[in-house]
Amino acid sequence: MARIAVIGTGYVGLTTGACFAHLGHDVICADIDADKIERLKRGEIPIVEEGLGRIVSEALAAGKIKFVVGAVNASSYAEFHYLCVPTPQGEDGSADLHYLEAAAEEIGPCLPTDSVVVNKSTVPVGSTEVVAMHLKRSDVQVVSNPEFLREGTAVKDFLNPDRVVIGASDQKAAIRVAALYSRVRAPIMVTDPVSAETIKYASNAFLATKLSFVNAIANLCEHVGADVNDVTLGMGYDTRIGKDFLRPGPGWGGSCFPKDVAALAKIAEDYGYDFTLLREVLAVNNAQFDRTAQKVLQALGEDLSEKKVAAWGLSFKAGTDDLRESPAVEVLQRVSGAGAQITAYDPAVPNGVKELPLVEVVSDPLIAAKDADVLVVLTEWPEFKFVDFDQLAEQMRGRVIIDARNLLDRSVLLRRGFTVIGIGR
Ligand code: UDX
């Protein structure tokens, strides 16, 4: 087993460190946030991730994971150094690498000889060279090992990946990193660093393209009178299309897709390729936020002054409390901006949302529905399917439901006198 330093304890770093410890390695996780490190030492997990709390507690009890403040206090004693620092979107759409460069400069002088530094964060094509330059160490290898973790299922995705991708110019370094995954049953693909970095962006951009396509098909279904549920079912039988990632919605979001699609478009532009398709994928997604908001506003009618909207769902997808680039927030910003009063409920978001200062957030879906003229479902939380719809009918003033995730059972609602407007059906 190996000694691994993980620099950064966000969604990617904490999951990576905990899972490597779960696989038997000795892990030291470092962060600049001392308070966060103190909480992690007590096994307190600051994010909603299925199973993460358990494997962190087990690793702490077994002495397989430690949490320290400062990257130097982790990297001085490790053989592998996973960089899991943020690569936020810059003003021009490109990924901002200053955290990555700072981390490399910080650990460069303290790295034991023959260390391997590994880029786990999503970094622009060519970043392996950038990290090597900032490390200033000729006796250290830099490898790309991109993450393919989905929020809410990150632990499962790490321990049961579809594939492990390793990008290295030094074959021995690639083999050493591949050995870290010896207990993971998945194909391990070794390629050069640039190809590994491109695989990550291309994968996310393809998935976003698939979603923008299915949202556009849903909109077409509304025009031609088709049922998108049947259309996507019929499409998905073709194994080249596949049944996954074909659920239309209010648009897609999260901390990765928007950032990564914009970054890939910028990378293409910087390298002289006009990736018009990607710009259209982003445009279709923004139009889907507008279209969903329009459905709510049309249902409310002209005069919004006394009108009330109930919103179920604020997080960017079910299973997480993450509000970053949430489609629900995008839609509600548009509806709130038009002057409607909104009360929202989300099982994972107990408090107000800073991007929605006028939206009241309550602790129960039926409380949110009180006196509402329109209910809009924006996140596909399963619990919304099991609300008492007789009580909902009593609570609401109006009878219109905009189901932007096609989540609810339409026949149950129609029997109770509701009008249901979905996406593509
Ligand atoms: C994504 C990629 O899936 C993952 O491989 C990568 O490592 C990080 O980015 P994540 O951002 O956690 O993961 O969310 P994901 O589950 O992919 O959903 C992204 C967005 O697409 C969400 O807003 C979700 O609601 C939406 N979505 C997803 C749909 O609208 N329809 C679908 O069928 C699937």
Side-chain angles (χ1 to χ4, degrees):
M1 290 304 161
R3 288 186 317 287
I4 301 173
V6 175
I7 313 303
T9 59
Y11 276 95
V12 174
L14 187 52
T15 302
T16 297
C19 289
F20 270 141
H22 183 72
L23 292 172
H25 299 298
D26 292 318
V27 177
I28 308 180
C29 294
D31 203 291
I32 53 175
D33 181 339
D35 292 340
K36 183 175 189 181
I37 289 297
E38 283 312 306
R39 287 197 300 275
L40 289 169
K41 282 178 175 175
R42 296 194 295 269
E44 292 171 24
I45 305 303
I47 54 178
V48 174
E49 272 305 336
E50 176 74 30
L52 186 58
R54 179 177 52 77
I55 62 172
V56 168
S57 301
E58 287 169 356
L60 282 168
K64 298 299 279 183
I65 199 166
K66 293 183 183 64
F67 296 100
V68 297
V69 179
V72 168
N73 294 320
S75 282
S76 303
Y77 313 100
E79 180 186 355
F80 297 89
H81 310 265
Y82 269 77
L83 301 183
C84 301
V85 295
T87 52
Q89 185 171 346
E91 288 297 311
D92 62 358
S94 62
D96 176 350
L97 293 186
H98 88 271
Y99 292 107
L100 192 72
E101 293 161 352
E105 287 183 3
E106 185 179 351
I107 65 174
C110 76
L111 292 176
T113 302
D114 215 16
S115 288
V116 178
V117 174
V118 186
N119 275 346
K120 179 57 88 173
S121 303
T122 302
V123 292
V125 173
S127 298
T128 306
E129 287 306 310
V130 170
V131 169
M133 192 171 61
H134 285 270
L135 287 171
K136 304 184 181 70
R137 292 285 295 267
S138 58
D139 59 339
V140 165
Q141 293 294 335
V142 184
V143 167
S144 167
N145 176 213
E147 55 86 10
F148 299 98
L149 308 178
R150 288 164 298 174
E151 283 189 36
T153 58
V155 172
K156 184 173 79 64
D157 292 343
F158 190 101
L159 297 175
N160 308 279
D162 290 334
R163 76 304 204 182
V164 175
V165 172
I166 297 170
S169 43
D170 176 283
Q171 284 305 309
K172 282 203 297 296
I175 291 165
R176 289 170 65 190
V177 173
L180 299 177
Y181 294 90
S182 58
R183 291 177 58 190
V184 170
R185 297 167 61 87
I188 295 184
M189 175 194 172
V190 178
T191 182
D192 62 273
V194 168
S195 298
E197 290 155 351
T198 305
I199 289 168
K200 169 64 188 175
Y201 275 112
S203 299
N204 264 13
F206 180 81
L207 291 169
T209 301
K210 188 173 184 182
L211 291 178
S212 278
F213 181 81
V214 80
N215 284 334
I217 287 292
N219 299 337
L220 175 68
C221 286
E222 290 173 11
H223 287 274
V224 301
D227 183 333
V228 73
N229 281 1
D230 286 0
V231 170
T232 51
L233 178 64
M235 289 169 65
Y237 282 113
D238 184 324
T239 52
R240 293 168 304 173
I241 298 172
K243 62 179 175 34
D244 293 340
F245 250 69
L246 278 180
R247 296 191 319 274
W252 42 263
S255 63
C256 294
F257 279 178
K259 170 174 76 74
D260 292 354
V261 173
L264 185 57
K266 184 69 172 61
I267 290 167
E269 184 188 329
D270 291 348
Y271 281 82
Y273 176 65
D274 187 9
F275 208 151
T276 50
L277 172 63
L278 270 194
R279 287 204 298 277
E280 197 49 35
V281 166
L282 286 163
V284 165
N285 197 45
N286 281 305
Q288 195 69 356
F289 301 147
D290 297 336
R291 186 181 177 94
T292 307
Q294 273 311 310
K295 287 184 176 178
V296 177
L297 295 172
Q298 275 157 10
L300 288 169
E302 288 300 309
D303 176 11
L304 296 181
S305 53
E306 298 302 315
K307 297 291 174 60
K308 243 201 90 176
V309 174
W312 287 357
L314 290 167
S315 59
F316 85 94
K317 68 171 183 176
T320 177
D321 62 348
D322 200 340
L323 293 165
R324 289 176 292 180
E325 305 288 325
S326 168
V329 172
E330 290 283 349
V331 171
L332 293 179
Q333 278 176 327
R334 288 160 171 79
V335 175
S336 178
Q341 186 198 337
I342 303 171
T343 304
Y345 165 74
D346 183 299
V349 182
N351 308 310
V353 177
K354 67 179 181 342
E355 298 88 345
L356 297 169
L358 302 178
V359 171
E360 182 194 3
V361 176
V362 296
S363 60
D364 179 277
L366 288 172
I367 294 173
K370 185 91 181 85
D371 301 331
D373 299 286
V374 172
L375 165 65
V376 58
V377 180
L378 291 166
T379 307
E380 69 284 21
W381 287 102
E383 72 173 65
F384 297 155
K385 294 191 279 190
F386 307 107
V387 168
D388 180 328
F389 292 111
D390 290 318
Q391 282 192 31
L392 179 67
E394 284 169 26
Q395 285 287 86
M396 284 181 68
R397 186 164 58 193
R399 283 290 176 276
V400 177
I401 296 178
I402 312 287
D403 186 355
R405 294 285 186 162
N406 293 338
L407 179 75
L408 306 182
D409 182 331
R410 185 168 282 202
S411 57
V412 165
L413 294 167
L414 294 177
R415 278 201 300 276
R416 285 164 176 75
F418 285 103
T419 299
V420 183
I421 299 167
I423 300 279
R425 65 192 310 256

